[in-house]
């Protein structure tokens, strides 16, 4: 009986330690986008505040476009979203605004993304939720004849102008 009580206490203590450890997920020095990617669902459900804090900070760093690795890592977040409406809206808004402010940067990054992430990002830009389509049309049309950015700009603009094919992510 004494052994059973100790075993039970041991299990309870280890469970509490596991719960406590999960609340420290991606905090402090681990407060990085890579941690969010590695622990996406667990972090979102266990500590939404830290999740959005990381996403917001990474979005600000990415949209500056001075470090391509930071920018690419942020855009790669798209493949982790998997139908989370509030996260998708938050992320989409950042990408849409960033595309208006630095269209050349975004156009240059899209081809470097994984296939899944690039399809999702293009979908956001083809069916924007937070900005008007004509604003994106104007921002991207400047690059249609550019040898480096023309094909991706055309891909996005074809949908913006015709509005026939539904976006990939919705």
């Amino acid at each position: 009986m004494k052994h059973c009580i100790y075993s039970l206490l041991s299990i309870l203590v280890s469970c509490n330690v596991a719960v406590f450890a999960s609340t420290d997920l991606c905090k402090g020095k681990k407060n990085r986008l890579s941690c969010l990617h590695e622990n996406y669902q667990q972090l979102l459900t266990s500590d939404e505040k830290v999740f959005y804090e990381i996403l917001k900070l990474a979005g600000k760093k990415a949209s500056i476009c001075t470090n391509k690795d930071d920018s690419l890592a942020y855009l790669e977040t798209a493949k982790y979203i998997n139908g989370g409406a509030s996260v998708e809206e938050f992320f989409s808004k950042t990408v849409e605004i960033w595309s208006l402010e630095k269209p050349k940067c975004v156009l240059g990054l899209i081809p470097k993304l994984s296939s899944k992430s690039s399809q999702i990002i293009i979908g956001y830009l083809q069916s924007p939720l937070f900005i008007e389509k004509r604003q994106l049309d104007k921002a991207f049309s400047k690059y249609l004849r550019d040898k480096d950015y023309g094909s991706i700009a055309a891909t996005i603009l074809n949908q913006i102008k015709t509005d026939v094919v539904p976006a990939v992510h919705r």
Side-chain angles (χ1 to χ4, degrees):
M1 173 99 169
K2 192 175 188 181
H3 180 68
C4 289
I5 292 174
Y6 286 123
S7 295
L8 181 60
L9 284 173
S10 167
I11 291 169
L12 289 173
V13 167
S14 66
C15 287
N16 284 336
V17 168
V19 168
F20 179 75
S22 71
T23 61
D24 282 345
L25 194 60
C26 297
K27 286 187 178 175
K29 291 182 180 180
K30 299 179 286 182
N31 189 329
R32 303 267 188 277
L33 189 59
S34 59
C35 185
L36 184 143
H37 288 171
E38 292 167 13
N39 303 286
Y40 184 90
Q41 200 58 49
Q42 185 181 0
L43 182 61
L44 180 59
T45 55
S46 69
D47 200 337
E48 201 171 294
K49 181 181 177 191
V50 170
F51 179 91
Y52 280 104
E53 194 175 274
I54 292 171
L55 203 55
K56 183 178 180 180
L57 179 63
K60 283 182 180 181
K61 281 177 65 176
S63 64
I64 295 169
C65 284
T66 54
N67 183 321
K68 297 292 184 215
D69 291 336
D70 287 343
S71 299
L72 282 169
Y74 185 77
L75 290 176
E76 283 293 350
T77 303
K79 68 185 175 189
Y80 297 98
I81 294 175
N82 295 330
S86 63
V87 178
E88 185 174 17
E89 287 177 4
F90 183 91
F91 186 77
S92 181
K93 183 176 184 178
T94 302
V95 172
E96 290 172 31
I97 293 168
W98 177 12
S99 296
L100 281 180
E101 294 173 352
K102 300 202 179 195
K104 187 176 179 180
C105 175
V106 175
L107 290 171
L109 294 170
I110 290 173
K112 296 174 182 173
L113 296 171
S114 67
S115 176
K116 183 176 181 179
S117 291
S118 65
Q119 287 178 343
I120 293 168
I121 297 300
I122 290 169
Y124 289 155
L125 299 174
Q126 290 176 334
S127 299
L129 297 172
F130 300 96
I131 57 174
E132 293 183 32
K133 289 181 184 182
R134 65 179 172 77
Q135 292 176 287
L136 281 176
D137 188 358
K138 184 177 178 183
F140 291 133
S141 65
K142 296 174 187 174
Y143 299 96
L144 281 172
R145 297 189 191 272
D146 188 286
K147 67 179 179 78
D148 295 323
Y149 309 109
S151 64
I152 192 69
T155 300
I156 295 167
L157 289 172
N158 284 338
Q159 176 63 28
I160 290 172
K161 289 179 180 175
T162 61
D163 208 20
V164 174
V165 181
V168 175
H169 70 287
R170 295 185 182 126

